[in-house]
Amino acid sequence: MKTQATQRGPGKVFLVGAGPGDPDLLTVKAMRLIANAEAVVYDHLVGDAVIALIPPSARRVYAGKEAGNHALPQHEINKVLVDLANEGLEVVRLKGGDPFIFGRGGEEMAAVLGAGLECEIVPGITAAAGAASCTGIPLTHREHAQTLVFATGHLKDDTVDLDWTALARPRQTVVIYMGLGALDIICERLIAHGLPAHTPAAVIHAATTPAQCGVSSTLARLPEAVRAARLRTPALIMIGDVVALDPGMLLSQALHATA
């Protein structure tokens, strides 16, 4: 007797960018794939309103990763994707933001393809773009920032050994993902490598969601401002002269969140 997987043939894995949290910012393709999914493997950074779009009939697997608390290690997530697809299912791997921007999408793609299965990438709005749109802070600007750099503050070996010289260059915007726990070190190292202590900087929590809030300050005073506001992850660190162009949207969001 043939199994279901044999009858249907192998399934397919879609690495889908769920965007920064607001379901209205999903791509049309992402929305369609979620609505028709047979199995969904999702992270903790996927917004609750996006998760609510998963059909009741779909098999759900939570694979969230938070600092010091991984629901599933990465190698097990890779195995889950392969196993579900081998059952003949169309698998949606929902990842916050974009799968290929600090989302380990490259590792998961390699695992799926290495198992002889199909893998398709569906891009999503990355958190930095979502944060910029909700705060009115432009990531690039002809007068202030001709270069945009994305960096991660949490490396595989738990170090924060970044290319500080490159990050401290003038006339650029630096956005650091997953760096809140190392904020003091990040600010100290950037100043030590030449970035002026008065450089405008901000931290934005849960951009594009109802929980969005944040603070803006200078590079030297940012850690103190974050502690005073009791900001927590998920959060983005944004550094550069463009932060000073905030038209008041970041402050209004912060006041709204604490009201």
Side-chain angles (χ1 to χ4, degrees):
M1 180 177 178
K2 293 184 178 180
T3 63
Q4 181 184 26
T6 303
Q7 291 171 341
R8 298 180 54 180
K12 181 176 179 178
V13 176
F14 297 87
L15 302 184
V16 178
D22 182 350
D24 287 343
L25 297 178
L26 285 167
T27 65
V28 173
K29 187 167 189 175
M31 185 80 78
R32 175 173 56 79
L33 287 170
I34 294 169
N36 295 318
E38 296 177 300
V40 179
V41 181
Y42 63 98
D43 284 345
H44 84 283
L45 289 177
V46 177
D48 291 341
V50 175
I51 293 172
L53 300 173
I54 301 172
S57 58
R59 194 184 310 181
R60 298 188 184 195
V61 178
Y62 175 64
K65 296 191 192 73
E66 301 171 70
N69 181 23
H70 289 193
L72 288 176
Q74 187 61 52
H75 71 276
E76 290 190 20
I77 295 173
N78 297 346
K79 185 176 184 302
V80 166
L81 297 176
V82 170
D83 288 348
L84 288 172
N86 275 329
E87 289 183 36
L89 301 175
E90 295 223 326
V91 183
V92 171
R93 171 67 166 116
L94 269 183
K95 306 179 75 65
D98 181 273
F100 278 179
I101 299 181
F102 304 125
R104 302 190 184 180
E107 298 174 43
E108 294 174 4
M109 177 186 68
V112 173
L113 295 177
L117 297 163
E118 284 189 85
C119 184
E120 183 174 335
I121 315 303
V122 180
I125 293 176
T126 190
S133 65
C134 284
T135 60
I137 299 173
L139 294 174
T140 63
H141 192 288
R142 287 195 300 172
E143 297 176 7
H144 302 284
Q146 291 78 45
T147 305
L148 172 61
V149 179
F150 292 165
T152 175
H154 180 74
L155 302 183
K156 189 173 182 179
D157 58 1
D158 291 326
T159 66
V160 196
D161 187 18
L162 302 176
D163 187 346
W164 302 111
T165 301
L167 294 179
R169 288 172 182 157
R171 302 183 67 80
Q172 71 179 6
T173 304
V174 176
V175 180
I176 300 179
Y177 290 63
M178 299 172 285
L180 196 61
L183 181 61
D184 289 88
I185 296 173
I186 289 168
C187 294
E188 289 171 6
R189 297 284 174 84
L190 289 175
I191 293 171
H193 282 78
L195 203 57
H198 62 264
T199 301
V203 169
I204 302 124
H205 164 73
T208 80
T209 75
Q212 178 185 319
C213 58
V215 296
S216 60
S217 185
T218 62
L219 189 59
R221 296 183 177 179
L222 186 62
E224 178 184 352
V226 168
R227 283 190 286 270
R230 297 181 179 179
L231 293 184
R232 62 191 188 281
T233 58
L236 282 178
I237 305 166
M238 192 179 295
I239 301 163
D241 290 342
V242 294
V243 175
L245 301 178
D246 169 24
M249 294 166 65
L250 176 59
L251 178 61
S252 65
Q253 286 283 353
L255 292 175
H256 176 74
T258 57

